[in-house]
Amino acid sequence: MWLAREKKPDDANAAKQLTFNIAGDSMAGPAADALCERTSGLMDTSQPDEDVLVTLDPLDVVEHVLTAENLQFDRTEDGDLAFALTGDWKDYELWFAWRPEADCLQLCLSVNLQATPEQKAAAYELISTLNQRVWLGHFEVWDDGEIIFRHSMALMTGERPSLAQAAAMIDVAMEAADRFYPAFDFLVRGSKSAADAVAACMFETVGEA
C-alpha cells in the first residue's frame, strides 16, 4: 500500500510529494521489519519502529510520521493532532484523536462542504449509498451539516500503532475523499439530488480509470 499525497506548497515552486512506502502487513505488530521507509531515502528511519512504539503515545507516533515529512501540524485544545494535506480536488483538513477509554485511534477528514438543513435528507441518502462502496472508514453528516470522513483503529490495551499503520490511515482517508468529493460537491454546491450526485461521481471514477 502507498500513501502518496502532495503537501500544500509554501509557494508556487515549493510543491512536495508525501510518499510512504509501506512494506509487509499494514496491521503487523512492532516486530515487523521495515514497516515504513521513504523510497527517496529522505525519511528519518534512524529510530527503530520498536523504539517509537515503546516510548511514544499514539498521537506522538502520528506526530513522528508528520515530522519526518516536514508537515506542519497543531495540537488542539482537546489534545487532537490537526494538519492539512492537498488532495486531487482541494486541501483537506485532518485530525487524529486518541480515545483512551476505548483504546481507539481515530482520524477525521473534513471535505469542507456543509449541507444546509434542506439538503440534509439528500446528504444522508448520498452517504448511505457511498458508504457501501467504502471498505475502511465511513462518511457521516454532523449536526451542523459538515461532511466528514472518519476512520478508526482499535488497539489492544497498552498497544501502540506502528508508523506504517498511522500512515495507512491517512492514505485511506485521502483516497476516500478524492474518490467521492465530486458527489458531495454536486449535491451541496450544485444542488443536485443524491441519485444525480452518485451518477456524476461514478462517471468521474470511470472516466479516470
Side-chain angles (χ1 to χ4, degrees):
M1 180 181 290
W2 290 82
L3 169 61
R5 299 296 171 199
E6 289 185 351
K7 173 181 176 291
K8 184 176 180 181
D10 295 329
D11 55 60
N13 298 317
K16 176 185 176 184
Q17 190 79 7
L18 172 63
T19 307
F20 290 99
N21 179 20
I22 302 175
D25 185 353
S26 63
M27 297 303 292
D33 294 332
L35 283 176
C36 188
E37 59 182 15
R38 287 288 301 279
T39 55
S40 63
L42 296 180
M43 183 174 179
D44 179 13
T45 57
S46 59
Q47 184 176 15
D49 197 61
E50 292 89 341
D51 293 342
V52 174
L53 294 176
V54 170
T55 60
L56 302 181
D57 69 34
L59 292 182
D60 284 340
V61 173
V62 178
E63 188 173 311
H64 186 85
V65 173
L66 300 178
T67 299
E69 289 298 325
N70 296 318
L71 289 173
Q72 295 184 350
F73 55 86
D74 294 304
R75 290 282 188 144
T76 68
E77 293 182 356
D78 296 329
D80 298 343
L81 184 63
F83 58 103
L85 284 175
T86 299
D88 293 341
W89 303 100
K90 63 182 305 177
D91 293 348
Y92 299 110
E93 297 177 359
L94 302 91
W95 62 97
F96 275 91
W98 171 242
R99 302 291 183 244
E101 67 277 7
D103 289 316
C104 177
L105 181 64
Q106 184 178 96
L107 172 63
C108 292
L109 178 151
S110 173
V111 300
N112 292 328
L113 290 173
Q114 192 166 7
T116 65
E118 295 75 21
Q119 293 173 326
K120 273 193 173 183
Y124 290 135
E125 180 182 350
L126 174 60
I127 283 176
S128 176
T129 301
L130 297 184
N131 279 341
Q132 298 177 43
R133 295 170 167 81
V134 177
W135 284 36
L136 296 172
H138 67 276
F139 289 98
E140 59 189 54
V141 179
W142 285 7
D143 291 341
D144 62 357
E146 187 175 6
I147 298 171
I148 299 292
F149 179 83
R150 180 161 53 168
H151 180 33
S152 301
M153 181 193 307
L155 300 169
M156 298 295 291
T157 301
E159 184 184 3
R160 295 295 178 261
S162 68
L163 299 176
Q165 289 172 322
M169 289 183 70
I170 300 173
D171 190 31
V172 166
M174 292 294 290
E175 182 179 351
D178 280 339
R179 182 182 179 189
F180 295 119
Y181 177 82
F184 293 116
D185 188 60
F186 266 81
L187 186 142
V188 174
R189 299 201 300 174
S191 298
K192 302 294 184 180
S193 67
D196 289 340
V198 169
C201 179
M202 294 301 102
F203 175 79
E204 291 284 349
T205 301
V206 171
E208 293 175 1

